[in-house]
Structure formats: structure tokens, C-alpha cells
Amino acid sequence: MNPTWISLGVLAAMAPALHQRLQLSRAKHRSLAGHSRMAKRLARWLPGYSFDETEFFGCDGAPADIQAQRRAAFMGVADTLQTRHRLSIEATAAARENISDMQFIAAYRVPFQFSPLVRKHLKVGSFLQSAQGVQVTDLDGQVFYDLTGSYGVNVFGADFYKKTMAEGMSRTQSLGPVLGSYHPVVASNAEKLKAISGLDEVSFHMSGTEAVMQAVRLARYHTRRKNIVRFCGAYHGWWEDVQPGPGNPMPPRETYTLSDMSERSLQVLRSRKDIACVLINPLQALHTNANAPGDSTLVDSSRRAAYDRAAYTTWLKALRQVCTERGIALIFDEVFLGFRLAAGGAQAYFGVQADLVTYGKTLGGGFPVGVVCGQSKWMRRFDEKHPADICFARGTFNAHPAVMGAMSAFLDELETPQVQAIYEGLDERWNARSALFNETMNTHGLPLQAANMSSVWTLFYTQPSRYNWMLQYYLRLHGLALSWVGTGRLIFSLNYSDADFDAVLQKFVLAAQEMKRDGWWWHAPDITNKSIRRSILKETLFG
């Protein structure tokens, strides 16, 4: 046979697979967040380096007088923090040697080039003694407005969860730690979650990460397909299949990371036959196709965020249609946003019904929890026609009585007129507060703006700078508590009154004004975000 014809035949046979591969590549976002393998290679290659004190204050080319001003301010902030929060800082330093998580967050509060000197001088306490209203109090008795949101747990305010935790214990204390059998509140919790989710069945787990793991496992079990789709930058817990980039020692395997809000991604879903499920974290609508914003990556002022509810709703409806057509499970990961946007969660807020929904965080009423709700056809874990073919999922502390009791109290509170009233005009209220924040920053000539998805905010900066990360320390000086990701994510609880918000806003103004006076936002007329990135590349390559 003619070799040419053989070659043409081979190419013809390979053409569909090559077309699918090209289609998949085109559906990936062009950023590193969209290319997990490349990002992991770069992370392994990137050399560590840090600024000494002669470089730290002038890496942007600032003149000597500005550098001296910054140095004096830096040491002043350090001295104030150390004096004002001595007990909290000492307790944190003593515990850090024993707690690996504390070591990690201390190292990644700011860009790595600045981290050693920041850790040496700008010490932050990790311990608190109490919480009340929208405030927290550290070991030194210093009071902060809480903008951490307890990583999304705190939707209704600390006092709300103190009540649900106490009520939950009182409802189930007679059973104590008995596991395997269920306290009666488990049944009522399941009924209420069915009504909230609009789905048929419920399973309980120990964390949001576990809930997502189970939802994905069920989708694979019922479709007999192995691959899952997540969207660029989305967080679905820290287990391997849904966190395929840096931070995971394993290479990407059965995970397609596609571009969010892209027609090319829809084309991939329409054409491939190996996709079990599509994971949606609605929080991505605030920073589409970007990783969760944190100040450790705030190397310049290019961070941006924006939220368009109508556009994201249209996208979710398109996904719903394609998944229905192709027999793909659509999974809403509402571990973070569930009950923050609406009493019915993101499904009710966007008007889109998923096949499976995961909840966690706030639903535990102050205790750790994970929940999967789903249609019966997706939730079934065994096949009576093939009794050895099961989808296994257990966990010692699933449906723990104390957790189920607090969940019961939470769900009861959710139905009260007082809580239902909180949801009335919720978007309008927080959009107005964001607009007021931005107007106030502009009025005072401060290079700071906010983008929000209801009560979840991201701050970004409007003039080029390598020192925006310093703002988190000025905010702390003025009584605002941020999580370790700094100004990348502010999470307000919904019990913030107008007076509370006004107090926070004024503290932002004072902190930003002080930072500006101290020279951190000085910049040469010709400096741009692009020129900053060129400087960082030069530092990385040549030292």
C-alpha cells in the first residue's frame, strides 16, 4: 500500500481527537491561572529573593528623602503595633513554632520580596479573646471592626452564632457524642435543606471540602466519566482534583480548567463525552478568571474586580442548558456564598437550578460542616442490579449531634421575620455602601477603590505602586481586622448597620491618608504597572 495513503489515513483517524484537543486548548484562559501545568513549572523555577533594608524602601526608584520617610514610618508602625498588641503578638510568636498554618500565613501576607523584613518588624497577633456585634477584641483588649467574616462563616454576626451554638448544644446534649445513630434534628434539617435547595436528598459531611469531594464522586459514579470541569481561578477546597495548580504536589489529571464566561468553554462541554460534572463557585463572578485576590500577590496595581449580576446569570443559564443536553452534572459549590446572597442561596439568587449543591461554613451554625443536596438520580450510592457497584462515602463525625443541633437552630433562625428582613434590599444596600466608599476615596484623593458582590469586597488600587500591601497594616493601626489575605477580600457580616459602616469608612480614610503622607504612594511620573513588572522580572533573573 502507498505510504502516502497510509499517512493520510492515520491523519484522518486522528483528526477528531486533534480537533478536540485544539478546542480544549482554546477554551483555556490565557493567564497562568488557566494553565495549571505551566503555573506549577514556573512556581518550581521561580527563585526566592528578598530585599535588604537598603533596597526595601526604594525598589520603585524613590528619591532618598522619600525612602527615609518610608523607613521612619515603617519603624513607627512596627513600634505602635508591638506596644499596643504586646500580649497578642507574644502569644502568636510562642504558638507559631508549633502550628504550621500560622507559619504559612505569616510568610504570605505580603509579596515574598518584602516578607522577611515585614515578618521581622510588622508583627501581627493571631489570637482573640472575644467577639461582639461586628467587632472582635484581642488579648490586649484592643477592639477591631471585623472584616474577616471568619472565611465566610460569619454571615449574620458573632452574637447570632453564639446563640445557635448554645441552642444547638441544648437541643442535643442529652445524646452527647453518640455517633452512627442520629438525633431527631437530623431528619428535620434534611427536610428544611430539601426545601431550600429545591432538591430531593441530603448527605452530611465534616467540611465544605469533603462535600465537594462527594458531589464530584457521585457525578463520576453516575455518568461513568472521569473528567471534571472547573473554571479558571475558582476555589473548591484544597483536595487534588479541584486545586490542580501551585500548592498541589500532584500534576493535573482528570481536571479541565476552562475559561469562565466563555463561549469556547461551552463548545468544549457540547463536544466532549468524558466530562462528568461542571463545578461552579459563584464567587468567581467578582473576579472572573483570576485566582482569589490576596496581598501576597499585590506586586503592582493591576489587580481588578467587577461584578455584573445580569451577565453572570446569563452565563449560568447557558451552562445549565448545555449540562442538561449533555448529561453532565451541574454542581453549585455554595460552601462560601450559601445564605449570604439570599435565603435560598445562589440558586435562588440567580434563578438557576443545579443538579447537586454543596453547602458548608455558615450552615453549621458556628460549627464545622459540609452538606450535599441533590436530585435522587445523582445522590444514590448503590446499584441494586449490581450490589458490589457502590459509591462509598462515610465519615466518623458526619451528622455529629452538636453540629446538627446548631444547624437546626440556624435553619430555624433563617425562617424568622428578623432574618428574612435582612435579605430585603440586600444588594441595593451593599452596592450603595460600595459606591459611597468609592466616592469618598475619590473625594479625598486616595488611590483606592472597591468592587463588591453584595457584602464580599475586593479592594484595588488606581495608581502604580509596589507598596499597596502596606495598607493592611495601617488599617490594623486604625482598628480594622483583616484576614491574612489583606485587602484582597473584605467580608462584612450582614448585621453591619449604617453607623457601623460609616465608622469603618472613616477608619479607611484615616489609614489611607496616613499611608499617603508617609510616602508609600509616591511614584515617578513615568512609572506604570508594566514597568513595575519589568523591574520584577529583572530582579528575578539577575538579582
Side-chain angles (χ1 to χ4, degrees):
M1 184 178 289
N2 190 322
T4 302
W5 288 107
I6 295 175
S7 299
L8 289 173
V10 170
L11 287 174
M14 293 175 60
L18 291 171
H19 173 73
Q20 281 201 332
R21 183 61 196 172
L22 177 62
Q23 191 177 55
L24 184 64
S25 297
R26 285 164 59 84
K28 293 182 178 181
H29 194 259
R30 63 180 180 272
S31 67
L32 281 174
H35 293 78
S36 302
R37 291 182 186 276
M38 189 181 301
K40 285 173 67 68
R41 293 190 190 103
L42 182 61
R44 287 194 295 267
W45 169 82
L46 183 68
Y49 66 94
S50 60
F51 295 134
D52 60 24
E53 291 199 26
T54 60
E55 302 166 311
F56 187 98
F57 301 101
C59 65
D60 59 349
D65 60 326
I66 295 295
Q67 293 188 44
Q69 188 178 355
R70 290 171 175 173
R71 185 190 301 271
F74 183 86
M75 295 305 176
V77 170
D79 182 65
T80 302
L81 288 173
Q82 182 65 48
T83 302
R84 191 184 291 172
H85 308 286
R86 180 180 61 83
L87 296 177
S88 301
I89 289 172
E90 288 176 354
T92 301
R96 187 180 295 125
E97 296 302 313
N98 304 321
I99 303 175
S100 57
D101 191 54
M102 293 176 68
Q103 298 168 26
F104 180 86
I105 64 175
Y108 287 92
R109 288 184 182 273
V110 303
F112 69 84
Q113 300 94 329
F114 301 94
S115 183
L117 205 61
V118 168
R119 277 180 281 166
K120 180 179 178 181
H121 294 287
L122 297 182
K123 300 182 185 298
V124 174
S126 296
F127 289 98
L128 299 171
Q129 61 172 297
S130 64
Q132 52 287 320
V134 296
Q135 296 177 319
V136 293
T137 303
D138 73 3
L139 303 187
D140 300 85
Q142 298 293 329
V143 178
F144 301 84
Y145 281 93
D146 182 14
L147 305 182
T148 72
S150 295
Y151 298 124
V153 171
N154 186 357
V155 174
F156 297 112
D159 298 323
F160 176 96
Y161 297 95
K162 290 180 186 180
K163 179 181 177 181
T164 54
M165 292 171 77
E167 176 63 23
M169 289 297 294
S170 70
R171 293 184 186 187
T172 60
Q173 197 163 14
S174 59
L175 186 60
V178 174
L179 301 169
S181 299
Y182 299 111
H183 189 280
V185 296
V186 173
S188 61
N189 287 347
E191 287 292 338
K192 290 183 178 181
L193 286 168
K194 284 174 57 180
I196 288 169
S197 67
L199 297 166
D200 305 325
E201 297 180 18
V202 180
S203 65
F204 298 101
H205 305 274
M206 291 177 283
S207 71
T209 289
E210 282 196 13
V212 175
M213 290 171 69
Q214 173 62 1
V216 169
R217 175 173 281 195
L218 286 166
R220 285 170 163 164
Y221 176 70
H222 287 289
T223 61
R224 305 299 177 182
R225 306 167 187 168
K226 66 178 182 178
N227 290 300
I228 68 175
V229 165
R230 63 184 285 272
F231 291 105
C232 181
Y235 183 75
H236 298 284
W238 53 269
W239 64 286
E240 289 177 0
D241 282 6
V242 296
Q243 199 257 317
N248 179 356
M250 297 298 291
R253 293 176 297 184
E254 287 84 33
T255 304
Y256 298 142
T257 298
L258 303 185
S259 185
D260 213 347
M261 301 184 72
S262 168
E263 176 60 33
R264 288 178 173 175
S265 297
L266 295 178
Q267 291 172 3
V268 169
L269 296 176
R270 291 189 187 103
S271 62
R272 297 192 72 93
K273 299 179 180 180
D274 60 349
I275 296 173
C277 61
V278 171
L279 279 165
I280 288 292
N281 181 346
L283 184 59
Q284 283 304 110
L286 181 58
H287 43 85
T288 308
N289 291 310
N291 290 327
D295 284 2
S296 66
T297 58
L298 200 56
V299 296
D300 59 13
S301 299
S302 60
R303 181 165 77 194
R304 288 293 181 269
Y307 171 52
D308 185 333
R309 179 176 178 177
Y312 199 70
T313 299
T314 299
W315 165 245
L316 291 179
K317 290 181 177 179
L319 279 174
R320 173 68 280 175
Q321 181 177 346
V322 171
C323 288
T324 300
E325 292 170 355
R326 302 297 295 172
I328 299 169
L330 179 61
I331 302 174
F332 270 28
D333 178 356
E334 297 199 38
V335 171
F336 188 97
L337 277 183
F339 308 102
R340 181 171 288 274
L341 301 178
Q347 289 190 112
Y349 179 81
F350 290 108
V352 176
Q353 181 76 60
D355 298 307
L356 295 156
V357 181
T358 62
Y359 300 109
K361 294 189 184 286
T362 193
L363 179 57
F367 290 117
V369 76
V371 169
V372 180
C373 297
Q375 297 175 359
S376 296
K377 68 176 184 178
W378 293 106
M379 294 291 284
R380 194 168 181 83
R381 298 182 186 176
F382 60 95
D383 182 352
E384 291 195 38
K385 295 179 180 179
H386 303 90
D389 183 11
I390 62 174
C391 182
F392 193 79
R394 298 298 299 161
T396 301
F397 291 101
N398 290 356
H400 188 284
V403 178
M404 292 295 103
M407 182 188 293
S408 175
F410 175 90
L411 292 171
D412 285 348
E413 288 291 326
L414 199 65
E415 296 174 347
T416 63
Q418 295 91 333
V419 171
Q420 289 295 313
I422 292 174
Y423 290 114
E424 295 177 7
L426 189 64
D427 267 11
E428 292 78 7
R429 180 159 57 253
W430 285 101
N431 290 345
R433 288 172 175 175
S434 178
L436 176 61
F437 180 96
N438 292 337
E439 179 185 352
T440 302
M441 295 303 118
N442 286 333
T443 298
H444 289 278
L446 299 169
L448 184 64
Q449 293 284 278
N452 73 298
M453 184 178 188
S454 194
S455 57
V456 182
W457 291 29
T458 289
L459 301 187
F460 58 93
Y461 301 82
T462 58
Q463 70 180 39
S465 175
R466 293 191 71 171
Y467 295 98
N468 294 318
W469 51 265
M470 267 298 296
L471 182 60
Q472 62 177 287
Y473 297 98
Y474 282 92
L475 293 172
R476 191 168 187 83
L477 280 184
H478 287 272
L480 300 179
L482 279 63
S483 74
W484 69 280
V485 301
T487 60
R489 180 162 293 162
L490 311 182
I491 308 172
F492 293 88
S493 52
L494 302 187
N495 62 322
Y496 261 84
S497 67
D498 288 342
D500 294 327
F501 182 79
D502 286 343
V504 169
L505 180 58
Q506 293 311 309
K507 289 177 181 293
F508 260 99
V509 170
L510 293 173
Q513 286 178 329
E514 186 174 353
M515 179 167 166
K516 185 177 181 179
R517 284 196 303 269
D518 288 341
W520 297 104
W521 279 322
W522 172 93
H523 67 96
D526 59 344
I527 194 171
T528 63
N529 289 322
K530 185 176 291 187
S531 68
I532 290 174
R533 290 193 292 272
R534 282 199 300 266
S535 296
I536 294 172
L537 180 61
K538 183 178 179 181
E539 293 164 3
T540 304
L541 294 176
F542 306 112

